[in-house]
Amino acid sequence: MIDIKNLTKSFDGKKVLCDISTRVLPGEKVVVIGPSGSGKSTFIRCLNGMETPDGGSIVFQEEDLLDAKTDLDRHRENMGMVFQHFNLFNNKTVIENIMLAPVHHRIKREKQGIVMPRQKKKEIIAQEKEKAMSLLARIGLEDKADVYPSTLSGGQKQRVAIVRALAMNPKVMLFDEPTSALDPEMVGEVLELIKDLANEGMTMVIVTHEMGFAREVADRVIFMSDGVITEEGTPAELFDNPQHPRTQQFLKCVL
């Protein structure tokens, strides 16, 4: 699904990613762990072009996302991104947040340089609203459709952010520490939703500090430190029998 080779990235002359190579298979759940400052968030932001790597390649759907000729926006339609701090539009209601990208995408795709009839736009909006309501029903928040994000709890905001990404029917979901900004009692409801997606076969890359969650949901765990992949393996291999001293040291502190 995603093939990453020799990825490098520097900020102000300091290397943050140092020759990263790995791949994500279709349906695979890859969890990235490691200490703060190890390059985890930069890595996942590079996958959908939010950060531009200095070198290497990211091949997604047989196209290199770092090639100047690649239509990056088209590929982003197939990569859902969930952020640490929700990034909902505060001036739009919950349902407007969920509908915004799908409506814009469909109108742009179906318009194709001609004036679209008003009735057709209304049909697209109605269809996407129905889909958005179905997604809200899935997470038990259909009664929050017409409220603004400022009225929601942190856990509710993050669940809305997740279904907003799902509204585009992505082939891959990227999660950048989705629970780190939440109060402890709200973490569980977000993790349960991500587990549901995992059980449905969604391809996912997840940066997290939740070690129990990583052990439970991951097919493969990547441990990063100092901008490199120090060790990777199945949850049993990495958590129960880490081989690298840096991995051992980190897990001793967090488990």
Side-chain angles (χ1 to χ4, degrees):
M1 181 73 75
I2 312 175
D3 195 7
I4 302 109
K5 291 182 180 178
N6 307 117
L7 203 64
T8 61
K9 177 67 178 178
S10 297
F11 291 110
D12 298 323
K14 180 182 178 182
K15 275 201 169 183
V16 179
L17 299 178
C18 309
D19 204 32
I20 298 287
S21 294
T22 189
R23 60 176 50 181
V24 180
L25 303 178
E28 190 177 25
K29 272 64 75 175
V30 177
V31 176
V32 185
I33 65 171
S36 297
S38 60
K40 306 184 302 296
S41 289
T42 300
F43 169 67
I44 202 168
R45 288 168 69 89
C46 283
L47 295 186
N48 75 340
M50 294 190 69
E51 296 287 354
T52 303
D54 300 324
S57 65
I58 301 171
V59 177
F60 176 56
Q61 296 183 319
E62 301 183 355
E63 285 192 74
D64 187 355
L65 302 189
L66 306 188
D67 189 326
K69 295 178 289 186
T70 297
D71 184 350
L72 193 56
D73 286 341
R74 180 170 60 84
H75 285 288
R76 283 194 181 117
E77 294 167 6
N78 292 308
M79 278 190 181
M81 182 79 178
V82 178
F83 303 90
Q84 181 177 346
H85 293 289
F86 325 128
N87 286 18
L88 297 174
F89 296 107
N90 290 320
N91 63 331
K92 295 187 178 296
T93 64
V94 164
I95 198 162
E96 287 171 342
N97 265 276
I98 297 170
M99 292 170 57
L100 182 63
V103 168
H104 175 76
H105 170 65
R106 284 190 59 190
I107 289 176
K108 180 181 177 182
R109 184 184 63 193
E110 297 184 27
K111 194 174 179 181
Q112 295 182 341
I114 62 173
V115 176
M116 178 177 286
R118 184 175 299 178
Q119 184 59 35
K120 181 62 176 178
K121 286 185 179 180
K122 287 183 178 180
E123 289 175 6
I124 290 173
I125 291 170
Q127 290 165 1
E128 292 303 330
K129 184 173 184 178
E130 181 179 357
K131 180 179 174 183
M133 286 301 298
S134 177
L135 287 168
L136 283 173
R138 172 177 179 169
I139 59 173
L141 292 178
E142 60 266 50
D143 61 325
K144 303 294 186 182
D146 296 319
V147 306
Y148 289 90
S150 60
T151 67
L152 303 178
S153 69
Q156 290 172 333
K157 288 178 183 177
Q158 195 60 296
R159 284 186 287 155
V160 170
I162 292 171
V163 298
R164 177 180 64 174
L166 291 174
M168 287 295 290
N169 298 316
K171 295 182 178 178
V172 180
M173 285 286 286
L174 308 176
F175 295 87
D176 186 10
E177 299 188 19
T179 61
S180 62
L182 300 179
D183 293 333
E185 65 268 22
M186 297 177 182
V187 169
E189 62 191 47
V190 173
L191 294 184
E192 283 302 318
L193 177 55
I194 299 174
K195 288 177 190 176
D196 288 344
L197 295 177
N199 291 334
E200 291 169 8
M202 174 65 75
T203 305
M204 296 192 287
V205 182
I206 309 166
V207 172
T208 186
H209 290 293
E210 300 287 338
M211 296 300 112
F213 170 72
R215 181 191 287 269
E216 182 178 351
V217 78
D219 296 312
R220 179 162 50 96
V221 180
I222 291 175
F223 175 72
M224 290 184 65
S225 62
D226 300 318
V228 301
I229 294 178
T230 305
E231 187 170 352
E232 61 181 306
T234 66
E237 290 169 342
L238 197 131
F239 287 114
D240 298 334
N241 190 29
Q243 300 299 303
H244 196 281
R246 184 67 184 92
T247 316
Q248 295 167 0
Q249 179 188 24
F250 174 79
L251 293 176
K252 186 177 180 180
C253 293
V254 300
L255 293 180

